[in-house]
Amino acid sequence: MECWSDGLRQNPILQYSITPLLQFFMLIIEHISAMRRWSEAERRQGHRVVLVPTMGFLHEAHMCLVRDARKRGDRVVVSIFVNPAQFGPGEDLAAYPRDFERDRALLEKELADVVFHPTVDEMYPQGSDTFVEVKRLSLPLCGAARPGHFRGVATVVAKLLNIVRPHAAIFGEKDYQQLQLIRRLVRDLDIDVEIIGHPIVREPDGLAMSSRNAYLGAAERQAAVCLSRSLCKAERLFRRGETSAQALIRLVSAEFKKEPLAEVEYVKLCDAKTLDDIEKIDEPAVLALAVRIGRARLIDNRVLTR
């Protein structure tokens, strides 16, 4: 394990001269200036840098993103930052699970090149007063119940892309609304980066992997399978020819009624690009849902296309 020391940060000549010697070690970088210098040095050497943004408490789904990044580039940067700007009042910022040492060990095994692990003060220094907002895509689905959430997401992603300057960044498709929002952000702000969606990674019983699954007790964990089960049933109905949003949503809602621990926040059928509600599937659509089970707010989705 190598750390990005203060001496190295302050001596760019030393930094660049030893960068090739460090390529088989994982660096921990905490400062924006050091992260930029490392990325600029790698780009000058012709290396393709791929970013995997995370909030830590890593699990197998994150590792799949890291492996995908390794296949798509020469250098892999994983950011670990619990972003306070995307948590609203009463949400689980303080309780959000964290275990940096465990995360570091997992990333070492996957041969990540850099862990970018800034503090809140580093990312949002005193006096910070600028935010990024993708208005239309922030409003439906999770945005309706979490006002300001996607403004925080868009802001931190814009900052990470500006700091790391990756050639590509990989995001999980479980957060489908987030992925569409980031794609729009990059397009509208002319950010030179490829945004890649990675398919949802699931447990053997179908539950989408999530750091918030750690909140689930044994009975709640069993109940949580109702999310993927309802989506599978809806997809089968769609494959048999049903295209009515009302019929598909009714089927999913009926499945949730069988599970007493499930508190449904929304079940929506939307256009896959605009996230506008639709009445019938003529173009690719996303069946998206959010459900609370115990302390955990779980989301899942299924893209339906002919």
Side-chain angles (χ1 to χ4, degrees), residues 126-279:
Q126 188 174 5
S128 293
D129 196 31
T130 301
F131 294 89
V132 179
E133 187 170 17
V134 184
K135 287 190 174 180
R136 184 174 177 181
L137 289 174
S138 296
L139 296 177
L141 304 178
C142 291
R146 305 182 69 188
H149 168 71
F150 285 113
R151 185 180 78 158
V153 169
T155 299
V156 78
V157 170
K159 289 174 72 70
L160 288 170
L161 295 178
N162 187 43
I163 293 164
V164 179
R165 291 195 64 223
H167 296 85
I170 301 182
F171 296 83
E173 292 179 354
K174 178 177 73 70
D175 297 293
Y176 187 87
Q177 183 175 12
Q178 172 181 278
L179 176 59
Q180 295 305 109
L181 180 141
I182 290 167
R183 283 174 168 155
R184 181 63 59 84
L185 162 74
V186 165
R187 189 194 75 178
D188 290 354
L189 296 184
D190 301 305
I191 300 175
D192 185 18
V193 64
E194 179 186 5
I195 301 300
I196 300 167
H198 190 282
I200 298 173
V201 182
R202 298 184 180 278
E203 301 285 358
D205 61 3
L207 178 65
M209 291 186 180
S210 169
S211 297
R212 288 188 169 93
N213 291 350
Y215 295 158
L216 298 169
E220 294 166 342
R221 171 63 182 79
Q222 185 174 359
V225 181
C226 67
L227 279 80
S228 59
R229 184 172 63 239
S230 66
L231 289 172
C232 287
K233 289 188 174 183
E235 184 174 28
R236 285 196 294 269
L237 183 61
F238 170 70
R239 296 299 172 201
R240 292 199 297 267
E242 181 61 75
T243 60
S244 164
Q246 185 177 14
L248 294 167
I249 291 173
R250 185 167 55 243
L251 173 66
V252 172
S253 299
E255 194 66 27
F256 285 134
K257 287 180 181 179
K258 300 176 185 177
E259 180 46 69
L261 295 181
E263 180 183 344
V264 178
E265 186 174 292
Y266 67 75
V267 178
K268 294 278 191 177
L269 187 66
C270 308
D271 180 274
K273 291 184 178 179
T274 67
L275 303 185
D276 292 335
D277 288 351
I278 59 175
E279 295 183 358

Side-chain angles (χ1 to χ4, degrees), residues 48-160:
R48 178 174 166 84
V49 178
V50 183
L51 171 66
V52 179
T54 81
M55 292 209 301
F57 207 69
L58 306 179
H59 47 71
E60 178 59 21
H62 294 111
M63 298 304 103
C64 288
L65 269 63
V66 173
R67 292 170 202 141
D68 193 3
R70 174 60 65 197
K71 295 175 183 177
R72 295 175 183 271
D74 305 299
R75 299 289 183 264
V76 176
V77 178
V78 180
S79 64
I80 296 178
F81 179 66
V82 181
N83 177 34
Q86 67 190 68
F87 288 80
E91 292 189 336
D92 59 344
L93 174 59
Y96 192 85
R98 298 165 171 86
D99 190 339
F100 181 73
E101 291 305 315
R102 174 179 167 276
D103 292 346
R104 181 170 62 181
L106 288 171
L107 292 172
E108 280 184 313
K109 292 179 181 178
E110 296 299 333
L111 302 180
D113 295 285
V114 170
V115 176
F116 180 46
H117 184 48
T119 64
V120 173
D121 288 340
E122 182 76 6
M123 290 294 283
Y124 299 108
Q126 188 174 5
S128 293
D129 196 31
T130 301
F131 294 89
V132 179
E133 187 170 17
V134 184
K135 287 190 174 180
R136 184 174 177 181
L137 289 174
S138 296
L139 296 177
L141 304 178
C142 291
R146 305 182 69 188
H149 168 71
F150 285 113
R151 185 180 78 158
V153 169
T155 299
V156 78
V157 170
K159 289 174 72 70
L160 288 170

